[in-house]
Amino acid sequence: MCGIVGYVGKKEASPVLIHGLSKLEYRGYDSAGVAIIEDNLLKVTKCKGRLANLEAKLNENPIHGAVGIGHTRWATHGEPSDLNSHPHSNEDETISVVHNGIIENYLQLREWLSAKGYKFMSETDTEVIPHLVDYYYKGNLEEAVMKAITKMEGSYAIGVVSTHEPGKLVAVRKDSPLIVGLGKDEFFIASDIPAILNYTRDIYLLNDKEFVVINEDGIKLLTEDGDEIKKDVFHVTWNADAAEKGGYEHFMIKEIHEQPKAIKDTMTSRIVLGKPIALDKITITKEQLANIDRVYIVACGTAYHAGIVGKYAIEKLARIPVEVDIASEFRYRNPIMNEKTLMIVVSQSGETADTLAALREAKKYGARVLAITNVVGSSVSREADDVLYTWAGPEIAVASTKAYTTQLIAMYILALYFADCKGTLSTDEIESIKAEMLKLPEKCEEVLKHKEVLQKFASKNFMHKDMFFLGRGLDYAVAMEGSLKLKEISYIHSEAYAAGELKHGTIALIEKGTVVIALATQEELFEKMLSNVKEVKTRGANVLAFAFEGNETVEKTVDSALYIPKTAEILAPVLSVVPLQLLAYYIAVQKGCDVDKPRNLAKSVTVE
């Protein structure tokens, strides 16, 4: 959500900020702006809409200066507008601020500041920050920012510049991601690595309530009490090209095609035939596992759907009962947790606000927390007891694809490790599943070759307003993810249903021409699934089915079918989700939607 970039150096700040913001467009936004200090004056340019609008304004009226901050805003308080866009400044335009997150007590602060004579121009929560900094400013910008945050409740990543100290940038974070880039005679702040990767690969990862003070002399890291901090430099190893389209029309289709490699990379060194499952530095012993009496998998959105597959896998293979919870609901239902609880949190970015809150709640109760995430150094990875990384590489499109499939692989790795510890599967059974897992990248490549059926179906059905996804068992879990992908990028209303529930109300929605996507990869449930498909066909539905190769009898029941390579049933979700991703993509393209940046959505949801 939102994007921050800041620069202090010897270059013109404006192009650096615009370039950085362009690399953060994937996070979702509805307005953009910059504040640059030019000749000891604060120059602010901002506007509603895409970054191109901001660039056009800056081309007409350039700002020259080597210190500045930039922002892409995703509206929370106040509609998208020029006025509500960031940066926000104090009344005499000597202090300017960019902010990600939500100041929860902004109304009280606004009332308090108004009583002291401060005037507000926007509807945003952010505007209280420059006024607070102004109120506390007594000749030292970092001290003023430190005092200001003691009054603020909520989440934030903040960048501040001021004409009082024109060569300085001060930044701080709490529950919202912020990194510091270390260049040669130049320094950066940013919400995410791609924003600064063209300039440096060396960064500091800020923890909550850690400050950075940057000026032309260098950089200082401080605690909230003003004590200096020493940090290790984190060196980014992945290539900047990984965050480029590489000839594809959209990031989403590129990332769908990157799944075979991502799946393989996530298994590398962890799944090796003839050797025990390797969990990096995670050491959950047989004795510790035996002491665990409750397992929660907690996540949001696509990661939650991966968690549902994880529940099936862990319960089936390791015979451990698992509850799956939506992170935004978890901590509000007073869950039962103690030192015998294992929580598995799943977050692509490692910065998901609700997932972080659930993690912290679990830690209060003494639970052990294992994180599955794609981002090294993220908040989730630093705060969890154990981390299992998904090596998907940077995922830029808002709608997650390769992050999901690698999360599934991580779940299978955990399930097999637990099964081995508990002795619920024989060595031969474990080796058989491992052998099938190692074939998944090649089989995923095969699925990607069969696009014609999906493109044809999309071209004939993109105009529909409703679609339904049906499945049983693991197929139902995948149907949920397929439905979400379609909603996210095509704006078609879609729902996923457990096929056995049709008779309990859902079938009332089926009429002539209703589009139904049916998954039928579970052999034990195959005949039952076909019966459910016949029920919707009888009522006029237009059905596209997905089944394993060899089950061509499904064609007698449906209108169209696509067959995926045969694999172990429990691993089917890794392959069956790929055509659902492609289907959503082709439908969205047919509709002319902004595939990589769907409306109202953000890549990383860092506010509750």
Side-chain angles (χ1 to χ4, degrees), residues 152-203:
M152 290 158 36
E153 297 172 7
S155 60
Y156 48 79
I158 297 168
V160 186
V161 294
S162 172
T163 57
H164 297 310
E165 299 173 62
K168 184 181 284 186
L169 189 160
V170 177
V172 60
R173 67 153 283 180
K174 176 181 175 286
D175 298 335
S176 196
L178 195 67
I179 62 169
V180 181
L182 311 173
K184 186 177 181 181
D185 298 325
E186 59 185 0
F187 302 94
F188 311 81
I189 62 168
S191 302
D192 204 355
I193 292 169
I196 61 173
L197 201 54
N198 273 28
Y199 306 103
T200 181
R201 290 177 173 274
D202 293 327
I203 65 174

Side-chain angles (χ1 to χ4, degrees), residues 184-235:
K184 186 177 181 181
D185 298 325
E186 59 185 0
F187 302 94
F188 311 81
I189 62 168
S191 302
D192 204 355
I193 292 169
I196 61 173
L197 201 54
N198 273 28
Y199 306 103
T200 181
R201 290 177 173 274
D202 293 327
I203 65 174
Y204 287 135
L205 301 167
L206 294 185
N207 292 320
D208 278 356
K209 293 194 176 179
E210 289 183 346
F211 291 78
V212 58
V213 181
I214 304 170
N215 57 35
E216 58 188 14
D217 297 324
I219 186 170
K220 283 192 301 184
L221 300 175
L222 304 172
T223 67
E224 60 185 314
D225 298 318
D227 299 325
E228 197 158 348
I229 306 166
K230 299 297 180 185
K231 270 186 184 289
D232 293 331
V233 174
F234 178 79
H235 185 74

